Amino acid sequence: MRTQLRRIPSAAASAFVVALALVGAFVTPAATAQAADPAYKVLVFSKTAGFRHDSIPAGTQAIRDLGGANNFTVTATEDGAAFTPANLAGFKAVVFLSTTGDVLNDTQQSALQGYIDGGGGYLGVHAAADTEYGWPQYEGLVGAWFKSHPAIQQATVKTEDRANPATSHLGQTWSRSDEWYNYRTNPRANVRVLQSLDEGSYSGGEMSGDHPITWCHPQGNGRSFYTGLGHTAESYADPAFRSLLLGGIRYAAGFAKADCRAETGYTSLYNGSTTGWSQAGPGSFTNTDATLTSQGGMGLLWYRSKEYSSYSLKLDWKMPGDDNSGVFVGFPTSDDPNSAVNQGYEIQIDATDTADKTTGSIYGFKSADIAARDGALNPPGEWNTYEIRVEGERLQVFLNGVKINDFTNTDPVRSLKQGYIGIQNHGAGDDVSFRNVRIKELGATTTPSTFEGESYTSSQGVQAADHAPASGGKTLGYIENGDWAGYSQSSLAGVKTFSAKVSSAGAGGTIQVRSGSATGPVLGSATVRNTGGWETFQTVSTPLTGTPTGPVFLTFTGGAGSLFDIDTFTLEK
């Protein structure tokens, strides 16, 4: 039976080559990762049941060449029998290289779904979008299905995300020839668009001026990446396109981190123009190739055109080594940078320091979750993305799509309810670069909704369990593999984050958050480990993606016997 694939967040990533100063369309880097990844394997699948692209051999060889230079080995096949759980388990990523038509049977589709939802990576190239029309869930995996294309011609590609490992080497525009696909639907609401087409630069675009062509998204516990480029054999000899493929492979394989959550509704504060920004204190920032780089200091470049109260601030940053900078929020208007230090909060960027003064910390006040931070962080020389979310006095920090800090202000002098934002130039030799500063105003703050685990209204296998330290003295207990619980009193509308207070003296396992039913789309997954006892509680969380609607259903997977208990769970908008 065909089962469902849905987008789920995961940890997201960053760039694989040092960004070079560039003027013009793009740079042409060597397609080699900066730091050696552990050895891994990639499966390249190029079966066709429709049109067959004569570029497939060139594409396969290009990926082999990339593997030889970047510590991964390639197995190429056109046999759908390769799609079994046991065989796929040996690969970090699967590449659909210009596949067409119905290339997998139901059993093979199920194996691919299990592989991706379990943490594997998918990369679709060009005609991968012209594949598996009889399997509705494949559209969710690839992002959108092919509709049509005009003749091969030159067009201008716009780089929307220059922090992603696949696109950080590119300029803001890239002029190239290819076969430019139109898609049946616009995927933007469900994916992070990395590149789009300027429909005014060529003939035959049919997507009303918003034409994504390369994108990525979390998928289950895994990752999905797709590019519509790659029709011609010549594409695979282009170092810039090879670097795009390498970044996509490294993201899909889980080695390069990126924030691939869908992103809409943001207003650009800086993407080349410093209009509205002012320097406070000594030092300055260079402004080249839509990139700000700190020099001298200690000073602050702050956005003085508007004060913000409830918002999501995103920006991309990179440091070449052990450098120092930060992002300031919540400070009053002033041309003295000390006003931000003394009356605002700094989200730190620093490769080394004490836990409360290193990357992801609220400087001097609260350390990041170091394990989560380390799992989401790209090393010096590669780009990272911060989301800084301010709602009332609450300040949350996400690194490459992963939540790493959650802080609540109690000092009226540093109130976050109203204030300005800025980026620091720390001092000589602390050279940190920033790109694509953008903001989304959120409006009124929301109150999280918390539910008792044992308050389920439908279930399979679970029971309430008595535990004195738990809220109300009970938990949702006796959870085994395949069990589930539904909560008709809950609503997932607009919810962005799920967290649960859990305990385990057993094997642990996974909580899957589903929408509407026990077989509904998976919106997020949280791993529960042994906490040391049934009355020793810890909190686990996961962001939710897709379009959360309806009541929440929790499904449980793991090994044999009792897995874990759930005391309470919380839904946050």
Side-chain angles (χ1 to χ4, degrees):
M1 182 165 96
R2 289 174 178 166
T3 48
Q4 290 187 321
L5 279 164
R6 286 292 187 267
R7 296 180 185 86
I8 303 265
S10 79
S14 179
F16 64 93
V17 288
V18 178
L20 303 175
L22 53 107
V23 179
F26 63 94
V27 294
T28 305
T32 304
Q34 279 193 299
D37 296 324
Y40 62 102
K41 296 179 180 179
V42 172
L43 179 66
V44 175
F45 184 57
S46 55
K47 181 179 178 180
T48 55
F51 181 84
R52 185 167 183 85
H53 285 72
D54 60 12
S55 60
I56 287 174
T60 301
Q61 186 57 50
I63 297 171
R64 289 191 189 279
D65 293 344
L66 291 171
N70 294 278
N71 211 28
F72 64 85
T73 56
V74 172
T75 298
T77 185
E78 299 202 347
D79 186 356
F83 287 80
T84 66
N87 188 54
L88 292 176
F91 297 96
K92 283 290 187 179
V94 175
V95 179
F96 273 46
L97 178 61
S98 283
T99 51
T100 55
D102 189 1
V103 292
L104 299 177
N105 64 30
D106 289 1
T107 300
Q108 293 158 0
Q109 291 167 359
S110 180
L112 176 60
Q113 173 181 338
Y115 166 75
I116 301 295
D117 284 346
Y122 165 91
L123 187 144
V125 179
H126 195 56
D130 190 22
T131 302
E132 289 295 332
Y133 293 104
W135 181 22
Q137 289 72 38
Y138 182 79
E139 183 184 20
L141 175 60
V142 71
W145 271 321
F146 165 80
K147 176 187 176 185
S148 64
H149 66 79
I152 297 171
Q153 59 192 293
Q154 184 168 295
T156 298
V157 182
K158 298 178 292 184
T159 309
E160 295 192 21
D161 185 335
R162 299 178 66 210
N164 190 277
T167 51
S168 64
H169 64 292
L170 297 171
Q172 292 181 287
T173 60
W174 184 18
S175 182
R176 59 174 284 114
S177 292
D178 215 313
E179 183 182 71
W180 304 113
Y181 277 8
N182 299 304
Y183 300 95
R184 296 185 182 185
T185 57
N186 190 322
R188 186 178 293 275
N190 298 308
V191 303
R192 175 63 171 132
V193 175
L194 308 180
Q195 295 178 301
S196 57
L197 296 179
D198 178 356
E199 289 194 336
S201 68
Y202 73 105
S203 299
E206 298 178 356
M207 297 189 69
S208 302
D210 182 14
H211 196 139
I213 197 69
T214 301
W215 55 76
C216 59
H217 64 266
Q219 176 76 53
N221 287 320
R223 297 149 302 280
S224 174
F225 183 99
Y226 169 80
T227 182
L229 283 62
H231 172 82
T232 66
E234 291 79 10
S235 295
Y236 298 94
D238 179 357
F241 181 60
R242 284 192 172 209
S243 287
L244 185 149
L245 288 177
L246 175 61
I249 290 169
R250 292 188 66 229
Y251 166 73
F255 292 113
K257 311 301 181 181
D259 187 350
C260 282
R261 299 173 298 169
E263 184 175 305
T264 58
Y266 283 79
T267 299
S268 177
L269 300 184
Y270 169 79
N271 199 19
S273 170
T274 55
T275 299
W277 294 81
S278 292
Q279 178 71 30
S284 62
F285 285 81
T286 63
N287 182 16
T288 304
D289 184 36
T291 304
L292 294 167
T293 301
S294 63
Q295 55 183 13
M298 176 181 313
L300 185 76
L301 184 67
W302 62 292
Y303 190 72
R304 70 184 307 156
S305 290
K306 187 171 182 179
E307 205 171 5
Y308 292 98
S309 58
S310 181
Y311 54 89
S312 167
L313 172 69
K314 289 190 177 183
L315 72 169
D316 307 326
W317 58 267
K318 182 187 72 171
M319 53 184 172
D322 184 8
D323 297 281
N324 191 319
S325 184
V327 182
F328 279 87
V329 297
F331 57 91
T333 180
S334 175
D335 286 321
D336 179 0
N338 288 316
S339 124
V341 172
N342 298 323
Q343 295 177 268
Y345 285 105
E346 179 186 5
I347 296 84
Q348 177 72 334
I349 298 170
D350 187 346
T352 59
D353 209 328
T354 58
D356 65 336
K357 296 178 181 179
T358 189
T359 297
S361 67
I362 312 302
Y363 185 87
F365 290 90
K366 186 175 182 181
S367 168
D369 179 331
I370 296 299
R373 191 279 309 273
D374 288 350
L377 179 67
N378 288 309
E382 301 185 23
W383 287 91
N384 291 274
T385 299
Y386 266 161
E387 179 189 5
I388 299 165
R389 179 177 284 263
V390 174
E391 295 172 283
E393 298 291 0
R394 186 182 185 191
L395 169 59
Q396 299 176 79
V397 181
F398 297 79
L399 174 65
N400 296 324
V402 176
K403 185 174 174 179
I404 62 167
N405 210 330
D406 195 336
F407 171 77
T408 300
N409 171 60
T410 58
D411 182 353
V413 174
R414 296 178 183 268
S415 177
L416 289 164
K417 290 184 177 180
Q418 193 83 6
Y420 291 88
I421 65 171
I423 54 177
Q424 183 187 60
N425 53 303
H426 187 269
D430 286 322
D431 308 315
V432 178
S433 296
F434 297 87
R435 283 179 173 172
N436 196 15
V437 184
R438 64 265 195 207
I439 199 164
K440 181 177 183 177
E441 295 186 77
L442 302 176
T445 59
T446 57
T447 302
S449 299
T450 298
F451 301 87
E452 296 288 336
E454 69 275 11
S455 67
Y456 55 87
T457 56
S458 58
S459 67
Q460 174 178 289
V462 299
Q463 300 177 42
D466 293 325
H467 289 291
S471 172
K474 294 183 181 294
T475 65
L476 176 69
Y478 302 95
I479 296 171
E480 298 186 359
N481 183 53
D483 290 350
W484 58 267
Y487 300 82
S488 63
Q489 72 274 37
S490 66
S491 173
L492 282 165
V495 173
K496 294 182 175 64
T497 303
F498 168 91
S499 61
K501 187 178 176 184
V502 299
S503 66
S504 177
T510 300
I511 304 170
Q512 292 179 316
V513 184
R514 295 180 182 265
S515 175
S517 74
T519 57
V522 178
L523 305 172
S525 298
T527 300
V528 180
R529 295 180 173 85
N530 187 301
T531 63
W534 293 112
E535 298 190 348
T536 301
F537 292 92
Q538 297 177 358
T539 299
V540 298
S541 64
T542 177
L544 305 183
T545 58
T547 307
T549 58
V552 65
F553 280 75
L554 306 179
T555 58
F556 312 113
T557 61
S562 295
L563 305 179
F564 49 81
D565 283 8
I566 298 177
D567 181 6
T568 61
F569 67 87
T570 299
L571 307 176
E572 297 182 56
K573 295 184 178 180

